Amino acid sequence: MRRAVAVRLSALLAAGALTAATAVALSSTTASAAVGGVTGYATQNGGTTGGAGGQTVRATTGTAIHQALCSRASSSTPITIQVEGTINHGNTTKVSGSSCNTAAGVIELKQISNVTIVGVGNGAVFDQLGIHIREASNIIIQNVTVKNVKKSGSPTSNGGDAIGMESDVRNVWVDHVTLEASGGESEGYDGLFDMKDNTQYVTLSYSVLRNSGRGGLIGSSESDRSNGYVTFHHNLYENIDSRAPLLRGGIAHMYNNHYKRLNESGINSRAGARAKVDNNYFEDSKDVLGTFYTSEAGYWQVGGNVFDNVTWSSRSGDHNPAGPNPTSNTSVSIPYGFTLDGANCVPSVVAQTAGANKGLKVSDGSCTPQSPDPTDPGPTDPGEPTDPGPTDPPAGANLSLGAGADGSSKASGTSYGNVTDGNTNTYWSPSGSTGSVSVKWGSATTVAKVNIRLASGSGTIGAYRLLNHDTGAVLASGSGAGTVSFSPASLKKITLEITNASGTPRIAEFETYAS
């Protein structure tokens, strides 16, 4: 990268290691990843569910993350790893086992499948430490920050990529993450989000990529054309020199992204690649779309985009910008459903939703992000109450009164038992936006109906599952709170597993009924 740009980037974001966190690994028996909102190409090829249905483990060090992977029964046993604190070189070592293939100085997701890594609590920061996905499938990474990963200088990790995928990778969903660098290649940094060597069916959503020489690539060379089927939506690319992304071969869909200060070039479609570019907002940038630095052309289909203070250079040699009036030169068919926000509102929507620790807010397609604020007097989604519980509760005895309770996690100051005490002023909250809570009895009890009451100030439940904890069977699933019925089940323990939420849900009562 040009030295002047790299110096400017370095001044914006200082590198520096943070103190190491203490390793903790707490296991339970239910997953709590946010899997209900997967979108884009990650929904294809069988879909992307990550660690859903498996064990949940808490980790505050990189070593604990590796230990969780290595402690599984097999390399494909589903697992959700909830991460809190700072993960760095000082607390990330190699762990060995038959279900893993890890390495020191990098989070290694190699030769494995069915894994979710999700930031919880006060957040997860991977400081100067990259996440490497290799020969892996069905992976979810959500609500984490990865920053200042270097390929040269000290320390180095993951070839300088914040998140890198290579060698036969399938079905990866990266959502609500923040990826940052502090300069360009001359300062030791490489790409923020790279895919190569046969990586397919990937979605990057509601994320921030900033202050880097290179945003990311799909394909490592003009001959590496086995990658593709990648969706980028509702992301912020800010202060990026180039590669937003670079696409060699394959198909990519970019919609409702906000591109701000692309300093040299933006979406670089080349070597036969095809990009569908819908309703994006390009601002204060240069050459935001085209084929650059090669004579092997790529193609694009454009529609609904806004170009705000975008400059275009002249075409010459291997530099072929699509502007100043971009028009389509190919047609791209998209196999999944999606809803477009209007391009003019993209900066506002993305600012409210994109990045880690934003409460997993998403767009509803009408330029209004879903908000966790239950006090909003406006209309609510079906199943989302405006008060702590329904006004017409089920008839009969609430079997939860006097029963026991436990769960996968709890926020400070809350208790599992608060969901069975009959008091809607007390509540249980997960230590983050997702988690599970259970009601249990000493002997088998028949349950056919559940009523979930939310406490005042609660976040909204985006997706949940009700599980027969004895067998693992899914009794019901849905969104929001209220009453749900299912075939009567005789069980000793029933679990409410919140897999997606806006904000932090507050479960005042987990009522159970025989009919």
Side-chain angles (χ1 to χ4, degrees), residues 169-351:
V169 173
R170 292 292 185 276
N171 290 87
V172 177
W173 180 34
V174 178
D175 177 66
H176 283 92
V177 304
T178 298
L179 308 178
E180 301 176 324
S182 294
E185 187 177 18
S186 61
E187 279 72 40
Y189 305 96
D190 197 9
L192 295 177
F193 194 70
D194 278 12
M195 293 156 277
K196 54 191 176 183
D197 192 15
N198 198 23
T199 293
Q200 298 180 357
Y201 301 105
V202 176
T203 295
L204 176 67
S205 55
Y206 298 103
S207 294
V208 173
L209 298 87
R210 63 160 65 103
N211 298 339
S212 177
R214 296 170 172 175
L217 57 75
I218 305 173
S220 60
S221 67
E222 305 298 74
S223 61
D224 183 15
R225 303 189 185 191
S226 58
N227 311 279
Y229 308 117
V230 181
T231 302
F232 302 82
H233 75 88
H234 292 93
N235 303 299
L236 169 65
Y237 284 79
E238 183 176 20
N239 198 28
I240 303 290
D241 288 348
S242 63
R243 301 186 181 182
L246 186 160
L247 175 62
R248 294 174 167 119
I251 293 174
H253 186 197
M254 297 84 169
Y255 70 91
N256 286 154
N257 300 292
H258 184 197
Y259 300 92
K260 187 175 183 180
R261 285 193 295 151
L262 303 181
N263 300 312
E264 298 179 10
S265 61
I267 299 170
N268 185 355
S269 181
R270 54 198 272 187
R274 292 188 295 149
K276 183 170 172 59
V277 185
D278 294 324
N279 286 36
N280 301 281
Y281 196 102
F282 299 91
E283 181 179 6
D284 298 338
S285 297
K286 177 183 177 182
D287 289 344
V288 297
L289 174 65
T291 296
F292 307 107
Y293 321 119
T294 182
S295 59
E296 298 190 41
Y299 308 95
W300 43 85
Q301 179 181 350
V302 294
N305 301 288
V306 170
F307 301 93
D308 179 3
N309 193 33
V310 171
T311 61
W312 302 90
S313 56
S314 300
R315 297 183 180 184
S316 63
D318 61 1
H319 192 83
N320 291 282
N325 297 301
T327 57
S328 301
N329 56 19
T330 191
S331 178
V332 181
S333 177
I334 300 299
Y336 52 81
F338 60 98
T339 302
L340 291 172
D341 285 305
N344 282 318
C345 71
V346 163
S348 174
V349 170
V350 169

Side-chain angles (χ1 to χ4, degrees), residues 359 361 370-375 383-388 427-430 432-434 452-463 479-481 498 500-508:
K361 292 181 181 179
Q370 295 180 11
S371 172
D373 183 5
T375 63
E384 181 183 323
T386 58
D387 60 22
Y427 59 88
W428 162 85
S429 283
S433 59
T434 62
I452 302 300
R453 293 177 178 265
L454 298 181
S456 177
S458 174
T460 57
I461 301 174
S479 62
I498 300 171
N500 184 281
S502 295
T504 300
R506 296 179 176 181
I507 308 302

Side-chain angles (χ1 to χ4, degrees), residues 423-480:
N423 183 357
T424 57
N425 293 318
T426 64
Y427 59 88
W428 162 85
S429 283
S431 57
S433 59
T434 62
S436 64
V437 63
S438 302
V439 178
K440 57 185 180 180
W441 299 268
S443 58
T445 300
T446 298
V447 178
K449 187 174 293 184
V450 161
N451 183 23
I452 302 300
R453 293 177 178 265
L454 298 181
S456 177
S458 174
T460 57
I461 301 174
Y464 71 82
R465 301 193 307 169
L466 285 171
L467 305 175
N468 180 335
H469 199 94
D470 304 349
T471 65
V474 178
L475 302 173
S477 61
S479 62

Side-chain angles (χ1 to χ4, degrees), residues 335-427:
Y336 52 81
F338 60 98
T339 302
L340 291 172
D341 285 305
N344 282 318
C345 71
V346 163
S348 174
V349 170
V350 169
Q352 296 175 73
T353 58
N357 305 317
K358 287 289 189 70
L360 302 179
K361 292 181 181 179
V362 298
S363 168
D364 63 2
S366 64
C367 294
T368 304
Q370 295 180 11
S371 172
D373 183 5
T375 63
D376 183 354
T380 57
D381 291 338
E384 181 183 323
T386 58
D387 60 22
T391 58
D392 185 20
N398 174 14
L399 304 175
S400 297
L401 296 177
D406 60 22
S408 67
S409 67
K410 58 183 176 181
S412 177
T414 70
S415 170
Y416 302 123
N418 288 341
V419 304
T420 61
D421 63 2
N423 183 357
T424 57
N425 293 318
T426 64
Y427 59 88

